[in-house]
Amino acid sequence: MITAGSIAICVSASYGLGRHFLVLDSWQKEGFLKTFYVGNATYVTATALIKEALLLQYLRVFNKGVVMKRLLHALIVFTALWGIAYSFLAWVPCVPVEEFWNLQQTVDANCFGYGSQYARPFIATFTTHAAINMALDILVLVIPVPLFFDKGTSVWTRVRLVGLLSMGGFVIVFATWRLVTILEHQVATWPTRDPTWYGPISIVLAVLEVDAASICASVPIFWPVLRQLNWGKIFVTQEVNITRETRYMDDDEDRLTRDTTHSRTGSEAELGGDGLRNGARTRDMYYQDSYVLSQVDPLRASFERVYASARSDKTKGDPKKWIKI
């Protein structure tokens, strides 16, 4: 719901938000009224639901104090009734609803509250909702403050409360600022009725307020997960140990091999060097090779590392040269 309202307000910029309403084309006016309808209705409902979520969480925290529980129950009931009433006015501003964005709307159209054609009820609907919303925000923010000074409160709980109060402070700032802008231009009706010109600041502040409030309501829920999260796991990379296994490249053995320092201590030692001088490896001997065994048995304790050798015959006439690979 919050996301839908934010997207609707972003889309309204393409329908003339920030420009004078009189210079807009008819399709732009209708498009703006539709996007404003979605944004305003989701804002009104979201503000009530977020407060209800926080108050219900408070019930689990203050489950012993009788006075606090009664206060929370009263606030929960009042917030629910307030949210239902204004949500109905926001989602059903006219009967039928499409009359809200109908440019050919007559004086006899059945519209009220947020869709009223008369200035007084129209302004009263916005200002009363904004004022009550700000007052409830302050109450919801103040309720957990005594818990911060309680001697039995742990350090992590105090840190959680600081995060909650800090984010709640931004919500109150946005709500208060929005109320001031609404009163300043009388809900974009003074000095003239121009919602796309005098309304953008109030509209953007409503989006910021509800987004910050949703984050604030999520802090108590996600805090245990964040507390147990080992942030070092995010930056760990797996190390791969690359080893070079025993593998002799040439089965033929001659005097030069035996006289050089490149001794085959791996495969030949296990297979028996004297038995392989004049013949190829048999099938049974092949599977006794340490390299082959390491592929068959990955848990083999030790791997013999021997440098593989290859013969280079680049220059004719020169003695055979051996290089390490």
Side-chain angles (χ1 to χ4, degrees):
M1 181 178 296
I2 297 173
T3 304
S6 301
I7 293 174
I9 298 305
C10 292
V11 173
S12 66
S14 61
Y15 291 110
L17 182 65
R19 300 172 58 190
H20 287 289
F21 194 74
L22 292 177
V23 301
L24 300 180
D25 296 331
S26 58
W27 65 271
Q28 290 178 310
K29 295 178 180 179
E30 184 176 343
F32 169 76
L33 292 175
K34 287 181 179 180
T35 54
F36 177 76
Y37 165 78
V38 175
N40 182 65
T42 53
Y43 165 78
V44 171
T45 305
T47 51
L49 293 178
I50 292 172
K51 291 176 181 58
E52 288 289 325
L54 284 170
L55 291 172
L56 291 174
Q57 292 177 37
Y58 290 164
L59 280 178
R60 296 187 303 171
V61 178
F62 302 97
N63 56 355
K64 296 181 179 180
V66 177
V67 176
M68 183 61 70
K69 288 184 65 175
R70 290 179 178 176
L71 175 62
L72 289 174
H73 286 148
L75 284 175
I76 289 172
V77 173
F78 176 80
T79 303
L81 295 176
W82 168 75
I84 292 173
Y86 280 92
S87 294
F88 177 79
L89 294 176
W91 287 104
V92 191
C94 297
V95 180
V97 177
E98 54 266 21
E99 287 294 324
F100 181 79
W101 54 80
N102 183 11
L103 299 178
Q104 306 300 326
Q105 185 182 104
T106 62
V107 180
D108 298 331
N110 190 13
C111 294
F112 43 84
Y114 290 104
S116 178
Q117 294 181 330
Y118 300 97
R120 181 171 294 179
F122 180 76
I123 296 171
T125 305
F126 277 93
T127 53
T128 53
H129 177 270
I132 298 174
N133 177 61
M134 184 188 66
L136 288 176
D137 284 338
I138 296 174
L139 286 175
V140 172
L141 184 65
V142 170
I143 286 175
V145 171
L147 188 63
F148 184 86
F149 300 99
D150 191 358
K151 295 181 179 179
T153 304
S154 63
V155 176
W156 285 111
T157 303
R158 286 191 172 93
V159 174
R160 190 187 315 177
L161 286 172
V162 169
L164 181 66
L165 296 174
S166 300
M167 189 60 65
F170 284 105
V171 175
I172 293 177
V173 170
F174 293 141
T176 306
W177 190 359
R178 177 174 178 269
L179 178 60
V180 171
T181 58
I182 289 176
L183 294 175
E184 181 181 2
H185 293 289
Q186 295 294 293
V187 197
T189 61
W190 187 87
T192 58
R193 187 163 189 172
D194 197 346
T196 55
W197 181 257
Y198 296 112
I201 296 179
S202 302
I203 294 173
V204 172
L205 288 174
V207 174
L208 294 176
E209 176 195 346
V210 74
D211 290 344
S214 64
I215 298 174
C216 184
S218 303
V219 170
I221 298 175
F222 291 102
W223 181 259
V225 179
L226 297 176
R227 180 183 176 184
Q228 298 175 3
L229 181 62
N230 186 1
W231 292 97
K233 293 181 180 179
I234 301 176
F235 306 100
V236 170
T237 57
Q238 294 184 352
E239 296 182 358
V240 179
N241 186 19
I242 301 176
T243 60
R244 188 161 42 185
E245 309 299 338
T246 302
R247 192 66 177 171
Y248 190 66
M249 302 301 296
D250 194 356
D251 289 331
D252 296 330
E253 183 178 356
D254 53 18
R255 182 175 54 80
L256 292 175
T257 305
R258 292 193 300 273
D259 293 340
T260 57
T261 58
H262 301 280
S263 61
R264 292 179 293 176
T265 60
S267 300
E268 185 176 349
E270 292 183 8
L271 295 174
D274 295 337
L276 292 177
R277 291 180 180 177
N278 299 322
R281 301 175 182 177
T282 62
R283 183 184 299 271
D284 295 338
M285 291 182 178
Y286 175 79
Y287 285 109
Q288 295 178 4
D289 184 87
S290 61
Y291 176 81
V292 177
L293 289 175
S294 67
Q295 307 306 310
V296 177
D297 186 6
L299 301 179
R300 187 174 174 84
S302 61
F303 298 111
E304 296 173 324
R305 303 179 183 181
V306 177
Y307 294 105
S309 303
R311 193 181 326 182
S312 175
D313 296 326
K314 291 184 178 180
T315 307
K316 295 181 179 180
D318 290 346
K320 295 179 179 179
K321 299 180 180 178
W322 295 84
I323 60 174
K324 289 192 298 183
I325 299 178

